[in-house]
Amino acid sequence: MTTHHTSLAPESCHSLIHLQLFTRFSSFQCLKDTEVPDFPKINIGPFHNENPMPCTCQKTDLANRFVPIDELDDMQKRRAEEFRQHQIRTGKENDVLILAPANTPLQYPIRGFRVSPMKKTLIPGLALQTQSRAVYKVSLRVQKGLLSVDVQEGEQVNGLNEKHLSISSSNLQQLNDLLSRVTYTSTIYHIKTQDLAYFSFENHEVIFPIEIRRLSVPVLFDVGKDINSQVTVLVKTFLRYKELNVLIDSVRRLYPKIKIIIADDSLKPEKVVGENIEHYVMPPAQGWFAGRNLAVSQVTTKYFLWVDDDFLFLNETRIESFVSIMEAVPELDVVGGEVQGNQFLFKLEYEEGSSDEGGCISRVSRTHAPLPGFDGCFFVDVVVNYFLGRTDAVRRVGFDPFYKRVAHGEFFVDGLGDLLVVTCKGLRIGHQKYGRTDKYGSYRHPPKSDSQTKISHNFFKNHLKCIKY
């Protein structure tokens, strides 16, 4: 048998380079480029994310169960309108899926192209890579801006300073030179939005995002040289001056100069004196989260340490241990510790749910993952009431003053997806023996109606269908 070898030109049949063809394949011929049928043009987007499926209330309770029936319909209408506005404010319209087509000859920026509003900016990386043509023609179109290019004599460009720009040339190098000079200028003023650019050649089209963003000014905290310039101790007190003074003494034993900020909404305020103590007296019984907001608003250090007024600093209580973790992992916002051996290891399971019904949220006793490089530290969503907070991050979330008596996890629900939280073993603080009065107990343990009102508040505020935490 005679064996025949066929040599293939690399530019005409790349996938068969260096392969030997036997006799039964000798009649095979690679098609020329002009004879290769085009791939069918697929829809590459943009695809707006569909309304999520309704979530199911397994092992959770309906969040609207305590809303009076005669008020429910009006409340749902108001909630729907607030949610619509929330989606606009958070850029939901820009949350789209874009596919990258296969085998495209177009080069373009896929990520990271950012422009300042209404400022002309060069689009980086635009190019065409293809085989010989008599004429090369590409086009660009946008929705929220204008396209332009610095044209020189003899160059063919249509649509200068318009939303649709067309460039053609008989020379590929000249075309790519023109593409390297294309600019984009947004025509709307917005501090945070997005445009989509459609870039096409023959039957090839790609889409890439243009991020329109107003530059923000950094806000930095000078950490100084020691713990006193890095951390402020915060406490909210109510009717427990004896316990508060024990706490202050325990802090001063280890940290004589650290600033302590006290928010106090006691019914009959008493003076709290001492070096580097700021005592803010509030209207009586304003509430737990209102006091937290007040205390955090007065912090001038990078971090604050939250403690309850009946906690007790121990010999092994070391604020520096919190700070070393935060400084080593700048993405962290909250680091939780242990109170008398009690450490929260909770995460929040949340489904967005449909826009009509709302989401489902529940608290479970699990962690997300370990914090790399720190034994005993785990990513969670909720920590115990003893934590180091990054001041600017916590301020952005804030403490809802609606919660007056019993609240803690509500702050972490509001911060879900915005605060990166860990809890760490070994960061210990003590707890004083209980010595509560009847007056304090009546506020600490409010009637059942208080919890019911709180759940109805969650139904509206957090756009929830089901809740359990």
Side-chain angles (χ1 to χ4, degrees), residues 139-152:
S139 67
L140 277 158
R141 58 187 174 90
V142 293
Q143 298 167 311
K144 299 179 181 179
L146 301 177
L147 298 163
S148 189
V149 62
D150 182 15
V151 179
Q152 299 176 6

Side-chain angles (χ1 to χ4, degrees), residues 175-467:
L175 181 91
N176 283 327
D177 182 58
L178 280 164
L179 285 173
S180 71
R181 291 182 260 139
V182 174
T183 61
Y184 171 88
T185 308
S186 70
T187 53
I188 62 169
Y189 182 81
H190 199 291
I191 62 171
K192 186 179 180 181
T193 188
Q194 176 181 280
D195 199 353
L196 295 178
Y198 296 76
F199 185 26
S200 61
F201 165 71
E202 295 180 350
N203 70 325
H204 300 279
E205 184 174 65
V206 299
I207 305 172
F208 61 89
I210 302 173
E211 185 181 0
I212 303 171
R213 177 75 68 88
R214 187 80 163 94
L215 292 178
S216 57
V217 178
V219 178
L220 309 177
F221 287 86
D222 184 357
V223 296
K225 298 180 180 180
D226 59 25
I227 196 69
N228 301 313
S229 56
Q230 296 170 338
V231 179
T232 303
V233 177
L234 303 188
V235 57
K236 159 70 176 65
T237 194
F238 179 70
L239 301 179
R240 297 199 295 191
Y241 291 105
K242 177 182 177 181
E243 289 83 357
L244 175 65
N245 286 316
V246 171
L247 167 67
I248 292 172
D249 289 344
S250 72
V251 174
R252 285 290 174 249
R253 184 170 56 85
L254 297 173
Y255 299 97
K257 296 182 179 179
I258 200 166
K259 180 184 285 187
I260 302 173
I261 292 179
I262 302 164
D264 183 358
D265 65 342
S266 297
L267 304 179
K268 295 181 179 180
E270 299 178 11
K271 284 188 177 182
V272 180
V273 295
E275 184 181 356
N276 212 11
I277 291 177
E278 295 181 4
H279 181 207
Y280 294 93
V281 177
M282 306 165 60
Q286 279 299 292
W288 174 221
F289 271 21
R292 276 186 158 186
N293 267 336
L294 172 58
V296 172
S297 73
Q298 299 305 304
V299 175
T300 58
T301 53
K302 184 176 182 179
Y303 306 112
F304 67 84
L305 183 74
W306 188 268
V307 296
D308 281 355
D309 58 3
D310 60 349
F311 285 178
L312 183 69
F313 273 51
L314 306 172
N315 290 333
E316 59 266 38
T317 301
R318 289 291 179 267
I319 303 175
E320 293 87 349
S321 299
F322 284 99
V323 174
S324 64
I325 297 170
M326 280 280 212
E327 289 290 294
V329 189
E331 298 94 336
L332 292 177
D333 298 304
V334 172
V335 176
E338 300 179 28
V339 179
Q340 205 75 18
N342 180 28
Q343 181 186 17
F344 282 6
L345 298 171
F346 293 136
K347 74 174 185 177
L348 297 169
E349 293 187 340
Y350 173 65
E351 296 179 64
E352 185 179 5
S354 68
S355 59
D356 293 333
E357 294 185 349
C360 298
I361 194 167
S362 60
R363 190 184 73 177
V364 296
S365 296
R366 283 197 294 275
T367 65
H368 291 289
L371 176 64
F374 292 89
D375 292 339
C377 293
F378 300 88
F379 288 107
V380 293
D381 292 318
V382 183
V383 298
V384 75
N385 224 16
Y386 170 55
F387 61 86
L388 190 78
R390 188 177 299 276
T391 303
D392 57 353
V394 172
R395 279 178 181 159
R396 283 194 294 268
V397 175
F399 297 91
D400 185 352
F402 181 89
Y403 304 112
K404 291 184 176 296
R405 299 292 161 252
V406 181
H408 181 63
E410 290 81 0
F411 162 70
F412 293 99
V413 169
D414 289 348
L416 189 64
D418 292 315
L419 298 177
L420 188 60
V421 182
V422 299
T423 183
C424 296
K425 294 180 179 179
L427 304 178
R428 299 184 62 237
I429 197 169
H431 198 292
Q432 301 175 41
K433 292 182 180 180
Y434 292 100
R436 296 172 181 169
T437 64
D438 292 340
K439 174 66 73 173
Y440 177 86
S442 66
Y443 284 90
R444 181 66 177 81
H445 303 286
K448 192 175 181 180
S449 58
D450 187 83
S451 297
Q452 295 174 351
T453 302
K454 188 168 66 173
I455 291 173
S456 298
H457 182 65
N458 296 140
F459 163 73
F460 190 107
K461 173 190 172 184
N462 300 120
H463 196 249
L464 293 177
K465 172 184 176 182
C466 311
I467 182 172

